[in-house]
Amino acid sequence: MKHYNRIETLLEVMARLRAPEGGCPWDREQTFATIAPYTVEEAYEVADAIERQALSELREELGDLLFQVVFHARIAEEGGHFGFPDVVETVVEKMVRRHPHVFGDEEVEDAEAQTIAWEAQKARERSARAGSRTQSVLDGVAVALPALTRAEKLQKRAARIGFDWPDAHGALEKVREETEEVVEQLEQHDSSALQDELGDLLFACVNLARLARVDPETALRGANSKFERRFRAMEATLERAGRSLDEASLQEMNVEWERVKRSEGKIAGS
């Protein structure tokens, strides 16, 4: 097959995979719903390659994500709904409409002003789609978003109309309040109520991060990486001493954990 770098070739590959005769049985069985988790996974793999600055991997991951778009478009086309050209047309039209300062005569002073204009245009579009239906400031925040991301988006929407803490200190007090409520439920041994309070605490932590101008997703990813790095170092140290994690006591693991933390602190300060 020639011209591997053309989008038309990718569309042909997708059509071949979904062909009733001679296609791939697995690909033919897929639906929007069964493919959706793979789409989300590929988006995260793109983000992971970017975070690690693995540009060779990023090239491949972007291709995998593009393939997901083509897959969904092919399923839609088979159902008589829309095809890949319609997807392209829709996004091009949207980008032109939302950038009148580039494709029209409007002017914006800076990136912040453009963000405000962008959100205003999105609000007008949501209003047009809603028609006679009762509208909400929270319309358009996708339910399927990861909970951490959705919490931040909901909070930002509410903040636009002034429903927000005045600063990060107010949000911090809310975190403390929610922490106390978690403690109370731990003592009550009510798993349902505890889940509810833990959710409130996590939501409050997202609020704190947002008002402190810290991206909560980035902060948590950093914490995950730090935990993994320290755990692996602790694991390796115990292994060198002839001790597996199964054999080591909690006290031994804690001693090594603290040693790793101190070692990292010395390196950071050197």
Side-chain angles (χ1 to χ4, degrees):
M1 189 175 292
K2 301 179 181 179
H3 305 299
Y4 274 46
N5 62 342
R6 294 174 53 185
I7 188 64
E8 291 82 5
T9 303
L10 179 57
L11 295 174
E12 291 171 6
V13 168
M14 186 70 256
R16 180 72 179 274
L17 290 172
R18 292 276 296 184
E21 295 185 8
C24 172
W26 186 88
D27 288 283
R28 287 200 305 266
E29 290 179 358
Q30 303 313 305
T31 65
F32 292 126
T34 61
I35 287 297
Y38 295 101
T39 308
V40 174
E41 180 181 338
E42 294 300 349
Y44 275 114
E45 290 183 2
V46 167
D48 178 64
I50 292 172
E51 184 172 332
R52 293 184 290 106
Q53 298 184 351
L55 296 186
S56 61
E57 293 181 33
L58 177 60
R59 172 182 173 177
E60 180 177 353
E61 298 301 347
L62 285 171
D64 291 343
L65 184 58
L66 175 60
F67 184 75
Q68 291 295 310
V69 175
V70 170
F71 208 144
H72 283 286
R74 181 64 193 182
I75 295 173
E77 183 176 354
E78 292 169 359
H81 306 295
F82 58 83
F84 184 78
D86 302 300
V87 174
V88 174
E89 181 182 26
T90 299
V91 72
V92 169
E93 191 278 330
K94 181 192 294 184
M95 290 302 104
V96 171
R97 183 177 68 248
R98 292 185 179 177
H99 292 83
H101 57 293
V102 176
F103 302 102
D105 299 327
E106 293 188 18
E107 296 183 3
V108 292
E109 295 181 1
D110 49 31
E112 183 177 357
Q114 165 55 20
T115 299
I116 294 172
W118 175 278
E119 293 299 337
Q121 176 60 33
K122 287 174 64 177
R124 288 192 292 272
E125 292 171 9
R126 288 194 298 271
S127 177
R129 286 196 298 267
S132 59
R133 178 174 60 83
T134 302
Q135 298 175 42
S136 170
V137 172
L138 304 180
D139 283 349
V141 181
V143 176
L145 285 171
L148 196 67
T149 302
R150 189 163 193 266
E152 183 181 25
K153 286 184 175 293
L154 289 170
Q155 292 168 5
K156 285 181 175 179
R157 287 287 186 86
R160 288 181 202 166
I161 50 91
F163 191 71
D164 200 8
W165 298 103
D167 53 37
H169 295 289
L172 178 58
E173 285 303 313
K174 185 62 175 177
V175 169
R176 289 171 176 155
E177 176 188 324
E178 296 296 350
T179 301
E180 288 301 317
E181 292 182 6
V182 168
V183 172
E184 291 177 12
Q185 293 305 324
L186 280 171
E187 295 173 352
Q188 295 294 327
H189 304 289
D190 185 334
S191 59
S192 178
L194 178 59
Q195 176 177 293
D196 187 59
E197 295 301 342
L198 281 170
D200 290 344
L201 176 57
L202 289 169
F203 193 84
C205 286
V206 173
N207 242 334
L208 173 59
R210 178 179 59 84
L211 288 166
R213 299 187 180 278
V214 172
D215 177 59
E217 179 68 23
T218 300
L220 186 55
R221 288 172 69 90
N224 288 342
S225 297
K226 180 167 60 178
F227 175 84
E228 182 178 9
R229 182 180 67 249
R230 290 175 176 177
F231 190 91
R232 288 179 181 274
M234 175 190 72
E235 194 175 29
T237 300
L238 289 171
E239 185 177 333
R240 286 193 296 270
R243 303 279 286 170
S244 69
L245 291 182
D246 291 335
E247 297 170 333
S249 67
L250 178 59
Q251 182 179 0
E252 287 178 294
M253 287 188 281
N254 279 333
V255 168
E256 287 304 325
W257 180 269
E258 292 300 325
R259 188 194 64 77
V260 170
K261 286 176 61 177
R262 289 195 299 272
S263 176
E264 288 187 353
K266 290 179 181 178
I267 293 174
S270 62

